Amino acid sequence: MPAMDPLTASCKDPVALLATIAKLTAEAAERDQQIVRINAENEALARAAAQAEAREIIALATAKAAEHAAVIAEAKAAEMEDALAAARDEVKRLNDILDQFKRHRFGQSAERLDPDQYQLVLEELEAALSRAEAGLEALIDQADATGETKRRRRNNRGALPAHLERIEQVVDIEDKQCACCGNDLHVIGEDVTERLDVVPTIFRVLVTRRPRYGCRGCDEGGVTQAPAPSFIVDQGLPTDALVAQVIVARYADHLPLYRQAQIYARQGIDLDRATLADWVGRVGWWLTPLRQHLLAELRSSVKLFADETRMPVLAPGTGKTKSGQLWAYARDDRPWGGLAPPAVVYMYAAGRGGMHPIDHLGDFAGVLQVDGYAGYNEIKRRNGVTLAFCLLHARRKFYDFREKEPVADEVLRRFSAIYKIEATLRDTSPEARFEGRQLILKPLFDNLRDYLSKNLGRFSAKGKMAEAINYMLNHWQQLTYCLLDGRVELDTNTVERSIRPIALSRRNSLFAGSDAGADNWAVLASLLETCKLSDVDPLAWLTATLTKLANGHSNKDLDSLMPWHFPKIAGRNAPS
């Protein structure tokens, strides 16, 4: 009989059946656990393989990115180097232009270069150079992100003037506890820097209240009240300070009245040009006695400079301009230690005739340094004035032939040698200048005269070179008067510098509106330019002077109102 399998056999025995089922269930559970373990191992292997593959991909991508970044960095570095090189080249180019332009100021092109135009071009060149340097500094900062590179900063030399108001601000940290231990921090020092700031012009309204008083105890006392303050423009809007501001801007800073009106309009102040002109005319009337006193002061001088410049004036009823003349008379004795204060007076005249210097200078009988204009011969004849001519005017006649005619080049070289020696004698006494000129300059002048005489025959008698040589030989005594008097300068640069602001103001305004307007111009310019020569702030002087005049300052004491008696600009002495 065949044997039965355990399950069949157990079916006949319930206990055995249960044992068999339990055994089979345990085996099934063990197989399930094995399957779970196998699946987990397979998943772990798959994850490891995926991670390994991902790491390989990341490493490859990182390598590619690094390679790409290196290429970009190399390109940026090359681009930065190119930019830096270009910026440095631009800075160098502008520096070269600036240096060349400055050399022209005192070099061969100086004769044709208008001083005011020179300053304007110089400003533009320096601004362009500063812009290029700012770009170069930005590139350097960009190239050196760590900030370790030390760059030279352009600093203004010297300290800011001590008389300026100081407004202090403290830039402090917020947390004053130590980041390491938490203890309170204490001050161990400070860095202090100063920057020049400005407060723009601010208009304000000056409200004047004058209480009226009466007596309750009687009716006979009447009303008592303080007198109203006086102003130059009576019954008008402006204070003396505002009137002074308008005039200084017009005649010292050359800003026409209509432009000033536009500036005021930006602050909501409606002051038309006609109103400003009315103020200017009133002040001109008040200051005319001061101009005349200043002229009388110059008439008492031992030596003066004189020059004249064209002043276009509107001809009434024609719509056209006529040519007037603005005559300038200047004194500056500082180069030889003279004690008379520097000053300049402008006088308007309708023409350029020789009677005008006589009318202006009265009985002046000293040395008059001029440019050689024949109109000054009349005052020489009548007053016995000694005329000294300007060497630079003689030099200019040769300058037109520079680098074209060897004789002209040699004359210019000799002029240069004379001026270099003269510079060493500046600011010495008249006696020292006389001795030095006799010892050193006189032989140079004598040699120059011999050279001119020797070469005169080389040129056509009607040519410009012969004209230049004859001018010097025919006026040799006047051109070399400086050798005989240590107080006399070699040229008339002093008065030419005083004429220059008038020319600038004239260019901005084109012409004066009338003869009276031109004379008003001369009155105001005389006093403001004298302020500049005396190193006095024109605005401060004019404000104070207008206030004194409005309050009844006596015409018998005009000398006390002269600019040289006013305090000089703080921190400065008058220029020598």
Side-chain angles (χ1 to χ4, degrees):
M1 186 176 188
M4 294 183 292
D5 58 58
L7 180 60
T8 302
S10 62
C11 291
K12 296 181 178 180
D13 185 354
V15 175
L17 180 59
L18 291 173
T20 300
I21 292 173
K23 180 179 178 182
L24 293 174
T25 301
E27 291 176 351
E30 184 178 355
R31 283 195 299 273
D32 289 341
Q33 290 177 355
Q34 290 178 350
I35 292 171
V36 169
R37 283 196 298 272
I38 291 171
N39 288 337
E41 290 174 357
N42 289 337
E43 290 177 0
L45 291 172
R47 283 197 300 271
Q51 290 174 354
E53 184 178 0
R55 283 195 293 271
E56 183 177 353
I57 293 173
I58 291 172
L60 181 61
T62 301
K64 291 291 186 182
E67 181 180 352
H68 184 62
V71 172
I72 292 176
E74 184 177 354
K76 285 185 176 180
E79 182 180 351
M80 183 65 70
E81 284 299 324
D82 291 342
L84 285 171
R88 290 190 179 101
D89 288 344
E90 178 66 5
V91 170
K92 183 179 183 303
R93 184 183 72 84
L94 289 171
N95 266 315
D96 291 342
I97 294 174
L98 190 60
D99 289 342
Q100 183 180 15
F101 192 70
K102 287 179 177 178
R103 286 196 298 272
H104 284 178
R105 177 67 178 90
F106 301 100
Q108 293 181 342
S109 299
E111 296 291 341
R112 294 182 179 177
L113 193 61
D114 180 81
D116 298 312
Q117 190 65 30
Y118 167 81
Q119 294 295 338
L120 292 174
V121 176
L122 189 60
E123 289 173 7
E124 296 300 328
L125 281 174
E126 289 174 336
L129 176 60
S130 180
R131 176 178 177 177
E133 288 179 340
L136 177 59
E137 291 173 1
L139 287 173
I140 293 174
D141 288 340
Q142 184 180 349
D144 179 37
T146 63
E148 295 179 355
T149 301
K150 301 294 184 181
R151 288 189 286 105
R152 178 181 63 85
R153 295 286 185 181
R154 189 189 301 181
N155 296 319
N156 190 36
R157 294 182 178 179
L160 293 173
H163 70 277
L164 295 180
E165 179 187 10
R166 259 62 177 177
I167 305 296
E168 293 196 359
Q169 60 177 2
V170 178
V171 181
D172 207 348
I173 59 176
E174 294 183 1
D175 186 0
K176 297 184 180 180
Q177 289 185 327
C178 179
C180 178
C181 65
N183 288 331
D184 291 337
L185 300 176
H186 66 279
V187 177
I188 59 174
E190 64 178 359
D191 294 328
V192 180
T193 58
E194 291 188 342
R195 286 181 177 268
L196 189 61
D197 193 21
V198 62
V199 178
T201 300
I202 298 176
F203 285 97
R204 62 184 183 181
V205 177
L206 181 62
V207 179
T208 302
R209 300 183 185 276
R210 296 187 298 126
R212 295 189 302 272
Y213 295 90
C215 179
R216 290 191 178 98
C218 66
D219 294 332
E220 298 179 0
V223 177
T224 302
Q225 186 181 35
S230 299
F231 295 97
I232 283 292
V233 180
D234 195 22
Q235 304 295 327
L237 288 174
T239 64
D240 296 337
L242 178 56
V243 174
Q245 169 66 37
V246 170
I247 290 173
V248 169
R250 173 64 185 86
Y251 294 97
D253 301 326
H254 321 298
L255 189 63
L257 296 180
Y258 77 91
R259 293 183 189 171
Q260 294 189 54
Q262 293 171 351
I263 293 172
Y264 299 153
R266 292 201 294 265
Q267 297 195 42
I269 307 298
D270 185 15
L271 292 172
D272 58 46
R273 180 198 50 75
T275 299
L276 301 182
D278 177 69
W279 299 353
V280 168
R282 291 176 182 272
V283 172
W285 180 85
W286 279 96
L287 294 185
T288 296
L290 273 72
R291 195 270 303 266
Q292 294 308 112
H293 181 85
L294 186 59
L295 179 60
E297 168 71 20
L298 291 191
R299 287 173 176 172
S300 66
S301 304
V302 297
K303 180 179 70 69
L304 290 176
F305 299 90
D307 198 3
E308 70 289 331
T309 186
R310 192 174 65 89
M311 171 66 78
V313 176
L314 187 64
T318 66
K320 300 179 180 180
T321 61
K322 61 180 181 179
S323 287
Q325 290 290 321
L326 201 66
W327 297 75
Y329 305 97
R331 176 179 68 192
D332 191 352
D333 297 341
R334 291 171 294 182
W336 52 269
L339 299 180
V344 61
V345 167
Y346 303 102
M347 301 294 292
Y348 172 75
R352 200 178 177 218
M355 76 291 295
H356 297 301
I358 297 175
D359 293 340
H360 300 156
L361 295 182
D363 57 358
F364 171 76
V367 177
L368 190 63
Q369 291 204 247
V370 297
D371 57 8
Y373 169 50
Y376 295 104
N377 290 334
E378 186 65 18
I379 193 172
K380 174 185 177 182
R381 185 182 67 82
R382 291 197 184 185
N383 290 19
V385 165
T386 299
L387 295 181
F389 286 1
C390 174
L391 274 177
L392 286 184
H393 279 73
R395 177 186 179 275
R396 287 172 187 147
K397 296 178 183 297
F398 294 95
Y399 182 81
D400 291 337
F401 296 94
R402 74 193 189 285
E403 298 181 356
K404 301 175 184 177
E405 173 52 58
V407 173
D409 291 337
E410 177 61 20
V411 171
L412 293 175
R413 187 193 66 79
R414 295 187 183 215
F415 267 111
S416 178
I418 289 172
Y419 269 87
K420 286 181 180 178
I421 294 173
E422 175 65 17
T424 66
L425 301 175
R426 187 176 177 84
D427 298 327
T428 59
S429 68
E431 295 76 17
R433 299 215 305 179
F434 171 77
E435 292 176 2
R437 289 170 176 175
Q438 285 290 319
L439 180 64
I440 306 174
L441 286 187
K442 188 176 185 304
L444 296 182
F445 274 107
D446 291 342
N447 290 337
L448 175 58
R449 181 174 56 184
D450 292 343
Y451 181 79
L452 293 173
S453 300
K454 178 181 177 181
N455 286 277
L456 176 60
R458 295 179 53 184
F459 304 99
S460 168
K462 297 182 179 181
K464 291 295 184 180
M465 272 296 295
E467 179 183 323
I469 294 174
N470 280 322
Y471 176 83
M472 287 204 68
L473 295 177
N474 294 338
H475 299 93
W476 190 259
Q477 182 179 355
Q478 294 94 333
L479 288 169
T480 61
Y481 189 76
C482 56
L483 297 177
L484 304 178
D485 191 337
R487 301 169 303 176
V488 174
E489 302 301 319
L490 271 62
D491 52 52
T492 59
N493 273 353
T494 295
V495 72
E496 289 190 18
R497 286 193 295 268
S498 297
I499 280 285
R500 203 167 291 153
I502 301 302
L504 177 60
S505 188
R506 183 184 62 206
R507 281 198 295 272
N508 286 341
S509 301
L510 299 182
F511 53 83
S514 64
D515 288 339
D519 188 61
N520 199 65
W521 191 330
V523 168
L524 298 172
S526 296
L527 295 159
L528 297 183
E529 289 301 319
T530 297
C531 283
K532 294 180 182 180
L533 285 174
S534 299
D535 206 23
V536 166
D537 178 10
L539 179 59
W541 174 83
L542 185 56
T543 302
T545 299
L546 293 182
T547 299
K548 290 179 181 178
L549 291 174
N551 284 278
H553 187 91
S554 174
N555 279 352
K556 296 181 180 180
D557 187 26
L558 293 179
D559 188 71
S560 65
L561 298 181
M562 291 294 101
W564 52 80
H565 292 306
F566 197 78
K568 298 185 186 303
I569 297 174
R572 297 188 194 174
N573 293 317
S576 60

